[in-house]
Amino acid sequence: MNNQYWQKARQSRDARFDGLFYVAVKSTGIYCRPICPAPTAHEKNVLYYQYAHNAAQAGFRPCIRCRPDSAPGSAAWLGVKTTALRAKQLIDLGEDDNCEILATRLGITSRYLRRIFNQHFGVSITQYRLFNQCQFAKKLIQETTLPITDIAFAAGFKSVRRFNDAFLQQLHLAPSTLRKTKKESSPVIILTFPFRPPYNWQALHSFLSKRLISPMEWITPNSYGRTFKLNGAVGHFNAHFKAKNNHFKVEIVIDNTEHLHKVINNIRRVLDVDADINHIETHLKGSINGAFNLSEGLRLPGIWSSFEAGIRAVLGQQVSVAAAHTLVTKLVAERGDQHADKIYFPQPEDLATCDFEFFKMPQSRKNALKNLSKYCADNPENSLLDNWLEIKGIGPWTVNYAKLRGQSNPDILLAGDLGVKKALVNTQQFNPELSAPFRSYLTFQLWQQLS
């Protein structure tokens, strides 16, 4: 990407590039998103940065009007696949807050991780994490009624004093300047989740509707919502699709805001709002060589957790979508955890001792459900789903389905899936391997051919 390319995108305010680069204006000392509605600055006064933290590190303040903290994320699997990019993704998702643990997870030394991270992103891991925390806090200050103290802890700070110091250092702003009037407190947290167009809401709506588990999930013509549990936090969300504004308006109710950051990241993953869909579809078009017509703006519909995706996959083995839907609905009705007027998908420990007597299915499948549940209950932090293959009754299709929808891995081709096989029969011949690293999107494109 060169400055001339970014210049054209900035001058046209093209929403497809939102979050892929940032514009710093030397005459004002402010950096913006390329879609900022402010008058277009003269090119001689402009500097371009691929990442917001680079602009902040250079001394620029975030624009309060277009709010760079609200831009769609830039997924770490775009471009060159490197360990540094994977590390950035894990930090963005709030997965790891310790460099030593992060390095171990990536299979490298912490010294090497620090070196390559600085090499790729021009900042240390500690500085990048602090910047992320402050960006998240800024979004909460400007969009919610949460008290500043709650925001500080939700962003991962141990004290308000440390939060204030880091905020000023990282964003060159004081938190108090962003909330000049006291807002009336509300139990509902309302946030905007921008996305880069196009976004095929109709296709996502259709896919989710056929698999909707009521009353755990609910859907309207322009919204999707569900209950959730995450790290001990309990709540629910409603995501309202706003096509004209290229964003979702998301309402969240949660009993513990200290876990809010991870909850928000998971909702973003479930809705796939951070995908650079134009880049993905350009790659897919080249790889399939006209074998079939792509559905524009198709996203990956995520499932809340790998465990839930795995259980749904086991119940969906060798049966139709409708039959699988009936089985999952029955499971939630029989073993779902109910609080007040809400019901939640059963947790691994809820099913680890269950005999599934309410299902009329082979005992081997019941055993697979129980074995998977026990494994996940005993290994709650294990995100390496290939380890599931050691569980009796769990095969590659189940693991790949959980990676595809429970982790939103972008490069999973469900080659053994009956729907994928049917779709491939009806297309011209092409090599699916050429669609890497976006074979998950290819899988959903193939499923869409059956609609």
Side-chain angles (χ1 to χ4, degrees):
M1 194 76 71
N2 57 45
N3 283 11
Q4 186 177 8
Y5 194 75
W6 281 342
Q7 179 184 349
K8 291 180 180 179
R10 173 181 77 93
Q11 292 176 342
S12 62
R13 293 190 174 91
D14 194 332
R16 295 175 300 170
F17 296 89
D18 189 14
L20 296 181
F21 70 94
Y22 295 86
V23 181
V25 182
K26 291 182 284 186
S27 57
T28 62
I30 290 172
Y31 71 92
C32 304
R33 296 154 71 179
I35 61 166
C36 186
T40 304
H42 293 295
E43 191 64 23
K44 65 180 181 180
N45 292 326
V46 167
L47 295 173
Y48 295 99
Y49 294 93
Q50 185 172 0
Y51 300 108
H53 68 263
N54 295 140
Q57 192 179 32
F60 292 95
R61 304 186 311 277
C63 176
I64 296 178
R65 188 170 180 181
C66 70
R67 299 189 37 232
D69 55 277
S70 289
S74 181
W77 36 263
L78 292 179
V80 181
K81 283 188 169 182
T82 68
T83 304
L85 287 169
R86 176 62 177 153
K88 178 181 179 296
Q89 182 186 46
L90 291 173
I91 295 170
D92 289 343
L93 294 174
E95 293 278 333
D96 287 289
D97 57 4
N98 181 289
C99 188
E100 298 293 335
I101 295 174
L102 183 60
T104 300
R105 182 169 178 177
L106 296 169
I108 58 176
T109 66
S110 59
R111 182 179 179 181
Y112 179 64
L113 174 58
R114 290 187 180 96
R115 181 166 66 82
I116 62 172
F117 197 92
N118 200 301
Q119 175 187 333
H120 280 271
F121 304 115
V123 67
S124 72
I125 288 177
T126 299
Q127 288 174 315
Y128 181 69
R129 186 182 290 114
L130 270 177
F131 178 81
N132 261 12
Q133 290 175 279
C134 293
Q135 283 276 80
F136 175 68
K138 179 176 177 293
K139 183 175 178 68
L140 295 184
I141 291 172
Q142 293 190 271
E143 292 191 32
T144 77
T145 61
L146 287 171
I148 296 294
T149 300
D150 289 355
I151 290 174
F153 289 117
F157 291 94
K158 303 303 182 184
S159 72
V160 176
R161 180 178 179 179
R162 173 61 179 141
F163 164 65
N164 287 330
D165 290 344
F167 200 94
L168 184 60
Q169 178 190 21
Q170 295 293 321
L171 303 184
H172 313 289
L173 292 167
S176 57
T177 64
L178 300 176
R179 185 180 284 179
K180 296 181 180 179
T181 58
K182 188 175 181 180
K183 299 180 181 180
E184 186 176 346
S185 180
S186 168
V188 182
I189 298 168
I190 302 176
L191 296 166
T192 57
F193 288 11
F195 53 78
R196 300 178 192 93
Y199 192 112
N200 196 330
W201 167 251
Q202 184 177 0
L204 183 72
H205 185 279
S206 176
F207 185 90
L208 293 174
S209 295
K210 294 174 184 176
R211 296 159 178 82
L212 197 78
I213 309 302
S214 180
M216 183 186 81
E217 299 175 288
W218 48 90
I219 201 163
T220 72
N222 291 301
S223 71
Y224 166 75
R226 65 162 291 157
T227 60
F228 62 79
K229 288 187 175 183
L230 183 66
N231 293 351
V234 177
H236 61 272
F237 74 86
N238 288 297
H240 302 269
F241 181 69
K242 304 292 184 180
K244 291 183 179 180
N245 298 331
N246 296 323
H247 72 234
F248 281 92
K249 178 183 177 183
V250 182
E251 302 163 340
I252 304 171
V253 174
I254 186 172
D255 67 343
N256 187 345
T257 55
E258 288 190 28
H259 300 292
L260 182 59
H261 201 173
K262 286 191 175 182
V263 166
I264 287 173
N265 285 335
N266 215 32
I267 297 173
R268 296 181 72 91
R269 179 189 63 78
V270 166
L271 299 173
D272 198 16
V273 295
D274 293 323
D276 184 359
I277 203 65
N278 296 282
H279 175 83
I280 293 168
E281 290 178 359
T282 297
H283 180 77
L284 291 182
K285 285 177 183 178
S287 68
I288 66 174
N289 197 28
F292 63 93
N293 293 323
L294 294 179
S295 296
E296 190 178 66
L298 205 61
R299 306 295 173 124
L300 300 183
I303 289 176
W304 187 257
S305 70
S306 299
F307 172 70
E308 181 180 333
I311 293 296
R312 288 193 184 214
V314 173
L315 292 175
Q317 291 173 2
Q318 299 177 343
V319 298
S320 66
V321 171
H325 174 264
T326 298
L327 292 173
V328 180
T329 300
K330 188 170 184 63
L331 175 68
V332 172
E334 294 284 347
R335 301 292 298 197
D337 188 13
Q338 186 154 1
H339 289 294
D341 61 338
K342 295 289 188 292
I343 191 165
Y344 303 82
F345 194 83
Q347 300 299 292
E349 54 271 20
D350 299 327
L351 301 181
T353 57
C354 180
D355 57 14
F356 301 99
E357 76 287 345
F358 45 85
F359 281 145
K360 294 180 180 179
M361 62 173 57
Q363 187 61 42
S364 60
R365 188 164 299 181
K366 294 180 182 179
N367 291 342
L369 292 169
K370 187 172 183 178
N371 293 341
L372 177 59
S373 301
K374 187 175 188 310
Y375 179 88
C376 291
D378 293 340
N379 302 275
E381 301 300 323
N382 191 346
S383 61
L384 301 176
L385 302 193
D386 285 334
N387 291 338
W388 288 8
L389 295 172
E390 300 173 6
I391 304 170
K392 188 174 182 180
I394 303 299
W397 186 88
T398 297
V399 170
N400 283 333
Y401 187 87
K403 288 180 181 179
L404 177 69
R405 298 200 60 206
Q407 293 184 331
S408 299
N409 185 314
D411 197 28
I412 300 296
L413 177 66
L414 286 183
D417 181 80
L418 182 59
V420 170
K421 289 180 178 179
K422 286 183 178 178
L424 286 172
V425 169
N426 296 324
T427 66
Q428 297 179 35
Q429 194 169 10
F430 70 99
N431 182 2
E433 298 303 312
L434 297 178
S435 294
F438 303 122
R439 287 175 291 181
S440 294
Y441 291 89
L442 175 63
T443 295
F444 277 91
Q445 288 285 351
L446 290 168
W447 279 343
Q448 193 69 16
Q449 302 303 305
L450 304 174
S451 301

